[in-house]
């Protein structure tokens, strides 16, 4: 007889949410938020994007841009200071130029080297940027607008845009343009002064716009990233809740629900016997004993289910000998149903982690229960094959066989959740459940697990046990 294989769909594995970003430095969030609040309260230039509250990546990138701008400014002052010293006359003017060059170099170097220390002061006190602009003006006035010092002035509007937004960029760009006009008036008789001044002025305006644009782009990107992280977190929580609900549904179906169903049938039989006038007291006693036993079994299964829900980790759980557990369950099933059941094992002894063994035994129990309820079989065979590649387990019967086609959605809508639960358990272990026709003519539940998912856990170390405790 040819074997017809009807694979059950595998539920998709749970989605792993991505990781959360770390918190930004408190001083940086407060200062940038204060700057944004000051501009929005005045209703002026409300297009400035607010600093993201919990995304550090964008704030770090903005700090890196500020430090690089100070690095460029430091190089420009170092290259252009000799031009200013050459044009300065001896006496106090030369000392003034020297002091401005030294202070400009030291200030830029301090910002470049130790931004975390001096950056908050510059962000909180924009007047420090004006003092630095004054030093640059002294040097540029002495060196001429055609010297390399002219390019150091471009960094001021760029930094103002990065730090203070549209308002700061507009103010410092305007002050820098006033300085350039003053320098031009002092050097207007030299060839090329007008073109150089006009070129540097255009660079200053463009740098201010670029600084603000980069600032707002980073902040808006940070806010969008924060919103996306929050949405992903909510989705992950919803996925976790749905997964836990499915797990509870499987556990309830495979334990308490079946016992309660049997208890209800026994109670109905007892009520029917008691309603008959000629009821045999011995029969009533036996039925009452069956009802009491079913109730005790339901209570025990409920306690086992609660104990499993209270289990936080498999670290302290011993590995399970699946073969002995299968033997116990097969004997209990045969004793309860009086249906001849045999167990065959080939390969190495199957010692599995607790969680894997729990799912495997639950699948076998559900398969045996389906045989008893629906197959109308006369014998059952449970086969376990252990190889180097996989673990294969089959539950066969000689009953009526499976339906022509099995769709999990149809079974779910009709209230049959057993096959769905088995498929979900197998998928959680990286395995597969197939419903075939057995050689005896009945149904065959075939579970395959990769060897990697069935490797037993090593004994926990003392450090792991202490951490678990």
């Amino acid at each position: 007889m040819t074997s017809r294989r009807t694979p059950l769909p595998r539920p998709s594995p749970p989605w792993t949410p991505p990781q959360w970003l770390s918190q930004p430095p408190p001083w940086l969030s407060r200062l940038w938020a204060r700057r944004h609040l000051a501009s929005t309260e005045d209703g002026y230039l409300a297009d400035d994007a607010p600093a993201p509250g919990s995304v550090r990546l964008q704030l770090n990138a903005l700090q890196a841009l500020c430090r690089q701008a100070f690095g460029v400014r430091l190089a420009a002052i170092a290259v252009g200071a000799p031009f200013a010293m050459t044009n300065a006359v001896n006496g106090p003017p030369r000392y003034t130029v020297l002091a401005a060059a030294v202070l400009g170099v030291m200030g830029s170097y301090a910002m470049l080297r130790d931004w975390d220390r001096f950056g908050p002061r510059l962000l909180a006190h924009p007047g420090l940027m004006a003092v630095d602009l004054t030093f640059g003006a002294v040097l540029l006035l002495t060196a001429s607008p055609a010297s390399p010092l002219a390019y150091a002035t471009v960094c001021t509007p760029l930094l103002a845009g990065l730090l203070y937004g549209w308002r700061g960029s507009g103010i410092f760009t305007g002050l820098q343009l006033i300085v350039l006009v003053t320098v031009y008036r002092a050097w207007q008789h030299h060839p090329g002064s007008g073109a150089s001044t006009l070129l540097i002025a255009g660079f200053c305006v463009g740098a201010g716009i670029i600084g603000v644009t980069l600032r707002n782009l980073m902040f808006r990107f940070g806010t969008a990233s924060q919103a996306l992280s929050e949405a992903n977190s909510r989705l992950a929580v919803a996925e976790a809740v749905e997964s836990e609900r499915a797990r509870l549904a499987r556990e309830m179906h495979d334990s308490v629900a079946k016992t309660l169903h049997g208890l209800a049938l026994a109670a109905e039989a007892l009520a029917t016997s008691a309603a008959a006038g000629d009821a045999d007291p011995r029969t009533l006693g036996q039925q009452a004993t069956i009802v009491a036993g079913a109730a005790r079994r339901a209570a025990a299964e409920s306690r086992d289910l609660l104990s499993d829900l209270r289990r936080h980790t498999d670290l302290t759980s011993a590995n399970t000998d699946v073969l002995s557990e299968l033997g116990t369950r097969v004997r209990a099933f045969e004793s309860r149903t009086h249906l001849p059941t045999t167990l065959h094992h080939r390969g190495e002894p199957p010692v599995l982690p607790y969680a894997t063994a729990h799912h495997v035994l639950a699948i076998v129990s559900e398969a045996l229960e389906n045989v008893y309820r629906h197959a109308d079989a006369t014998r059952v065979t449970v086969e376990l094959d252990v190889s180097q590649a996989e673990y294969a387990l089959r539950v066969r019967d000689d009953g009526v066989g499976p339906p022509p086609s099995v769709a999990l959605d149809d079974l779910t809508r009709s209230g049959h959740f057993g096959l769905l639960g088995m498929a979900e358990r197998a998928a959680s272990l990286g395995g597969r459940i197939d419903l075939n026709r057995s050689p005896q003519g009945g149904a065959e539940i075939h579970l395959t697990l990769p060897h990697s998912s069935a490797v037993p856990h090593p004994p926990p170390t003392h450090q792991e046990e202490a951490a678990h405790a």
Side-chain angles (χ1 to χ4, degrees):
M1 181 178 295
T2 60
S3 175
R4 183 177 58 195
R5 174 179 290 260
T6 305
L8 296 181
R10 294 177 59 184
S12 58
W15 174 81
T16 303
Q19 297 182 347
W20 280 66
L21 294 176
S22 57
Q23 295 293 328
W27 62 264
L28 193 59
S29 298
R30 289 195 300 268
L31 288 175
W32 253 301
R34 188 187 310 164
R35 286 293 161 199
H36 171 70
L37 183 60
S39 61
T40 54
E41 285 179 347
D42 297 339
Y44 181 72
L45 295 175
D47 289 337
D48 278 345
S54 63
V55 181
R56 185 172 184 175
L57 179 62
Q58 287 72 31
L59 299 184
N60 285 341
L62 192 58
Q63 294 179 81
L65 285 176
C66 293
R67 295 181 63 181
Q68 293 301 321
F70 274 109
V72 173
R73 191 173 185 278
L74 172 62
I77 294 176
V79 173
F83 292 89
M85 293 293 297
T86 301
N87 295 330
V89 297
N90 293 328
R94 175 163 291 187
Y95 294 132
T96 302
V97 172
L98 179 61
V102 172
L103 292 176
V105 169
M106 291 179 59
S108 298
Y109 179 74
M111 291 295 178
L112 177 63
R113 184 177 182 275
D114 201 358
W115 169 264
D116 291 337
R117 180 180 177 184
F118 297 106
R121 293 176 174 82
L122 183 62
L123 187 61
H125 304 287
L128 296 176
M129 183 72 73
V131 174
D132 188 73
L133 185 147
T134 303
F135 296 150
V138 172
L139 294 173
L140 185 61
L141 186 62
T142 309
S144 82
S147 66
L149 275 171
Y151 295 95
T153 62
V154 178
C155 297
T156 300
L158 177 62
L159 287 167
L162 292 173
L163 293 173
Y164 311 121
W166 284 114
R167 171 179 291 181
S169 177
I171 292 175
F172 283 99
T173 301
L175 292 176
Q176 194 65 67
L177 292 178
I178 293 175
V179 171
L180 289 175
V181 171
T182 304
V183 172
Y184 168 72
R185 290 176 64 87
W187 291 86
Q188 59 183 344
H189 300 293
H190 289 71
S193 298
S196 299
T197 303
L198 185 61
L199 179 64
I200 299 302
F203 284 165
C204 288
V205 174
I209 295 174
I210 291 174
V212 179
T213 302
L214 289 175
R215 176 185 187 272
N216 291 339
L217 180 63
M218 289 184 182
F219 282 173
R220 289 192 175 98
F221 179 74
T223 303
S225 299
Q226 179 180 350
L228 179 61
S229 298
E230 293 175 355
N232 288 337
S233 176
R234 289 192 294 269
L235 180 61
V237 171
E239 291 281 350
V241 171
E242 187 66 24
S243 176
E244 186 65 14
R245 290 179 61 185
R247 189 177 77 89
L248 288 176
R250 290 194 301 267
E251 299 296 339
M252 292 291 293
H253 174 272
D254 293 343
S255 58
V256 182
K258 293 179 180 180
T259 305
L260 291 178
H261 178 70
L263 176 61
L265 294 178
E268 290 176 358
L270 177 61
T272 302
S273 299
D278 55 349
D280 183 9
R282 180 176 299 178
T283 302
L284 293 178
Q286 292 177 351
Q287 292 176 342
T289 302
I290 294 175
V291 171
R296 284 192 296 269
R297 188 164 61 252
E301 290 174 348
S302 299
R303 286 193 300 270
D304 293 340
L305 179 59
L306 290 175
S307 299
D308 183 70
L309 292 176
R310 292 288 185 180
R311 188 185 303 272
H312 296 287
T313 179
D314 292 336
L315 182 62
T316 57
S317 300
N319 296 319
T320 304
D321 185 0
V322 177
L323 186 59
S324 62
E325 292 291 335
L326 281 177
T328 301
R329 300 203 177 198
V330 165
R331 289 189 295 271
F333 174 77
E334 187 175 17
S335 174
R336 178 170 59 89
T337 62
H338 304 289
L339 188 61
T341 306
T342 56
L343 174 62
H344 301 289
H345 167 245
R346 288 185 294 271
E348 299 178 356
V351 179
L352 303 179
Y354 170 81
T356 304
H358 174 76
H359 288 301
V360 170
L361 294 173
I363 291 173
V364 173
S365 297
E366 177 64 23
L368 292 175
E369 192 66 25
N370 286 340
V371 171
Y372 173 65
R373 291 189 178 186
H374 310 295
D376 194 18
T378 59
R379 66 180 185 275
V380 186
T381 302
V382 180
E383 297 180 357
L384 177 61
D385 295 335
V386 181
S387 65
Q388 295 294 332
E390 64 179 13
Y391 285 64
L393 194 147
R394 298 177 179 86
V395 179
R396 296 172 173 172
D397 65 80
D398 60 349
V400 296
S405 61
V406 177
L408 291 184
D409 293 338
D410 296 338
L411 293 173
T412 303
R413 284 192 293 268
S414 61
H416 297 85
F417 300 101
L419 290 176
L420 175 63
M422 286 192 288
E424 290 177 346
R425 289 183 187 276
S428 67
L429 301 176
R432 181 182 179 86
I433 281 285
D434 292 318
L435 179 59
N436 311 321
R437 182 169 293 277
S438 70
Q440 292 84 6
E444 175 186 283
I445 295 293
H446 183 195
L447 168 65
T448 56
L449 293 180
H451 193 275
S452 58
S453 66
V455 175
H457 296 313
T461 62
H462 295 294
Q463 292 81 359
E464 290 175 334
E465 291 180 348
H468 175 69

